[in-house]
Amino acid sequence: MEDKYAGLKLGNQLCFPLYACSREIVKKYKPYLDELDLTYTQYITMMVLWERGQINVKELGECLYLDSGTLTPLLKKLETKGWVTRQRAKEDERVLIVTLTDKGRELRDKAAVVPEKMSCCVKLSPDEVKTLYTLLYKMLGDI
Amino acid sequence: MEDKYAGLKLGNQLCFPLYACSREIVKKYKPYLDELDLTYTQYITMMVLWERGQINVKELGECLYLDSGTLTPLLKKLETKGWVTRQRAKEDERVLIVTLTDKGRELRDKAAVVPEKMSCCVKLSPDEVKTLYTLLYKMLGDI
DNA sequence: CACAATTACATTGCATGCAATTTGTTTTAT
DNA sequence: ATAAAACAAATTGCATGCAATGTAATTGTG
């Protein structure tokens, strides 16, 4: 006979390992990011800026799936550290443009070693990583 | 020529879609959990208790990958709502035993519909879900 | 037995995340 | 042109997460 509560088991829900994995991996980043004086969220924000140099808050939020409630205070911290500047767009004063500074660009060299060091932590084969990666992005796209 | 910063791209890091997916799915749960007056973290805590009826904080933390800094205040809230009780173990006063109440057990019936409703949100095929699930647990086990 | 080391939980402090609301700006519709 | 609607950030309030520290109970050791 069926267990009407089967779906309620932790081990039967996709969301739980996703949630747990995410936090465990972010935790693995910590020692490396501490050396750069970055939190994980600040790190992925800087990754976007290292790629694009400049971006407004709305677009940044779309890249990272984060809203201004999270980003505004975070960006102010990055500004305090001197890695980005924040200024309103002249064409549209509603828009805030975040720009990477030279000092922020320098940080990229120190950060370049982080992905290598992290790759050792994940014990999946390259094929498994690729599969996982593809499924996660498929999921993200549908959500 | 190789881009020495290739590893630093958001799109090349496994952690990012994991982090984003996790948050997006938890967000999907919110309307259903709001009806039960549960947050996501409270929900997975209750799932463990619905299965086991009773558990101490240390074991609960191992199940959920959470520590007492997160669980202590959360369990106090669940106690305030009348869904669990908290009492020290007689054999070892350091251990805090969390026990599901009758009222907490009743909540399970209302919660039973949540997994069904959520399964519609994920657009992956059953095979893909299984693959994803397996890879995530493999990763969690290695970490 | 005495006492140092462990252990389990609680507390504190900081950084998210996010919903809801507010503020200021721009666009749209009349 | 102007009021309403839409838009982009900022602000507020609440609930995590987690490292670091504190506290009380238990265990291990000489």
Side-chain angles (χ1 to χ4, degrees), chain A residues 4-5 8 10-11 13 16 23 25 29 43 47 63-66 109 123 128 133 138-139 142, chain B residues 5 8 10-11 13 16 22-23 25 29 43 47 63-66 109 123 128 133 138-139 142:
Chain A
K4 69 169 170 167
Y5 299 119
L8 271 184
L10 213 53
Q13 302 220 180
F16 175 68
R23 287 183 297 110
I25 295 193
Y29 273 93
Y43 170 64
M47 292 207 320
C63 288
L64 301 178
Y65 296 84
L66 291 170
D109 285 314
K123 298 294 198 307
E128 287 174 325
Y133 183 91
K138 179 167 185 187
M139 221 172 156
D142 288 339
Chain B
Y5 300 119
L8 271 184
L10 214 53
Q13 302 219 180
F16 175 68
S22 167
R23 287 184 296 110
I25 295 193
Y29 273 93
Y43 170 63
M47 290 207 320
C63 288
L64 302 178
Y65 296 83
L66 291 170
D109 285 314
K123 298 295 197 307
E128 287 173 325
Y133 182 91
K138 181 168 183 186
M139 222 172 156
D142 288 339

Side-chain angles (χ1 to χ4, degrees), chain B residues 59-120:
Chain B
E59 287 175 329
L60 182 59
E62 286 165 359
C63 288
L64 302 178
Y65 296 83
L66 291 170
D67 72 357
S68 69
T70 302
L71 290 175
T72 296
L74 186 149
L75 291 169
K76 285 181 178 174
K77 278 169 207 159
L78 293 182
E79 187 180 39
T80 301
K81 298 185 205 232
W83 295 328
V84 307
T85 58
R86 298 162 68 246
Q87 69 227 339
R88 294 285 168 177
K90 291 195 195 70
E91 328 81 68
D92 186 340
E93 287 279 346
R94 290 172 306 180
V95 175
L96 186 91
I97 300 175
V98 183
T99 308
L100 189 64
T101 63
D102 289 340
K103 194 177 158 197
R105 211 178 312 272
E106 286 170 21
L107 195 63
R108 193 183 199 184
D109 285 314
K110 287 173 72 180
V113 301
V114 175
E116 306 163 24
K117 292 193 175 164
M118 280 305 300
S119 64
C120 309

Side-chain angles (χ1 to χ4, degrees), chain A residues 100-111:
Chain A
L100 189 64
T101 63
D102 289 340
K103 194 176 157 197
R105 212 178 311 274
E106 286 169 22
L107 195 63
R108 193 185 200 184
D109 285 314
K110 287 174 71 181

Side-chain angles (χ1 to χ4, degrees), chain A residues 58-74:
Chain A
K58 177 184 158 65
E59 288 175 329
L60 181 59
E62 286 165 358
C63 288
L64 301 178
Y65 296 84
L66 291 170
D67 72 358
S68 68
T70 301
L71 289 175
T72 296
L74 186 149

Side-chain angles (χ1 to χ4, degrees), chain A residues 12-28:
Chain A
N12 291 341
Q13 302 220 180
L14 190 56
C15 187
F16 175 68
L18 213 48
Y19 164 80
C21 254
S22 167
R23 287 183 297 110
E24 290 301 309
I25 295 193
V26 167
K27 234 182 280 184
K28 286 281 187 187

